[in-house]
Amino acid sequence: MKKTVICPGSFDPVTLGHLDIITRASRMFDKVKVAVLINSAKTPCFSIEERMELLREATRGLENVEIVSFEGLLANYCREQKVHAIVKGLRAVSDFEYEFQMAITNKKLNPELETIFLTADSDSMYLSSSMVREIGRMGGDIRNFVPACVHDRIVSRLKSL
Ligand code: COA
């Protein structure tokens, strides 16, 4: 049976840390669906379509990766799509409690759904999308934080805000 996993997130915008997790998942599983979702606790900066486009560009070389988006619960989408595993990156101990809560809740909502954590690489340990947005907005250099192929688009979008 083909193993499909889902990498969910806000991706506002995609960073090298996200790309590292997606790339590693694409080597481990047959198919990776990267889902650009709404985190109701956050007000996004990039539109869903913009975030999807940046991800499409950043993952162009990864043939088994598909970029998707939907409204509603991740657990329900996974049931509908017959996806049984979520892959997420864990950066530091500070991520753990929140990720643990989400993993348990998703499993309560859909008992067939497992969450698999990959440890972030050392360069992404302290990286986040909001940090990238703040540095970019203030004219700082974000070259070390975002995929090179989408760097210019992210910079010009952040400057326009
Ligand atoms: N490298 C670098 N940064 C990373 C990273 C990595 N490997 N993994 C996560 N991050 C960053 C993200 O960019 C994000 O940064 P930000 O807070 O500055 O935006 C932060 O860490 C948190 O990431 P994550 O835990 O993935 O949260 P998220 O907001 O990106 O995604 C959803 C959360 C969208 C997956 C979750 O809200 C969801 O599933 N929503 C759908 C509705 C639903 O089912 N809700 C019930 C959930 S139990």
Side-chain angles (χ1 to χ4, degrees), residues 10 17-18 38-39 42 74 88 91 98-99 127 129-130:
S10 311
H18 298 133
I38 294 166
N39 179 340
K42 293 179 181 172
L74 178 60
K88 294 216 74 183
R91 293 166 301 170
Y98 172 63
E99 292 296 345
L127 191 53
S129 296
S130 43

Side-chain angles (χ1 to χ4, degrees), residues 10 37-44 51 72-73 98 102:
S10 311
L37 300 184
I38 294 166
N39 179 340
S40 51
K42 293 179 181 172
T43 308
R51 288 181 260 160
L73 290 174
Y98 172 63
M102 274 204 288

